[in-house]
Amino acid sequence: MNTFWTILGIVIAVVIAFVLVNVFFTVMFWLFKLLIVAIVAVVVFALIRRAVAKRD
């Protein structure tokens, strides 16, 4: 019976680890995507500001 609980514990640990890693990578993907969007937005803002400043 002890072997059963050990195997069950291992299976539960693997399932929990799989879920945690999946959540971690999803969060990291969205943070990386947000960082790229912020960088592109700053570059576009600078280009628009430069274009408007040349007209004045």
Side-chain angles (χ1 to χ4, degrees):
M1 194 65 170
N2 196 17
T3 305
F4 170 76
W5 289 112
T6 302
I7 293 173
L8 184 64
I10 291 171
V11 170
I12 291 172
V14 168
V15 169
I16 291 172
F18 184 80
V19 170
L20 289 176
V21 168
N22 194 19
V23 169
F24 174 75
F25 279 118
T26 302
V27 169
M28 291 305 293
F29 168 75
W30 285 107
L31 288 176
F32 181 71
K33 189 174 181 179
L34 184 63
L35 177 66
I36 297 298
V37 168
I39 291 170
V40 171
V42 168
V43 170
V44 170
F45 177 75
L47 291 174
I48 291 172
R49 193 164 178 188
R50 182 187 296 177
V52 171
K54 286 185 179 180
R55 292 183 185 170
D56 291 340

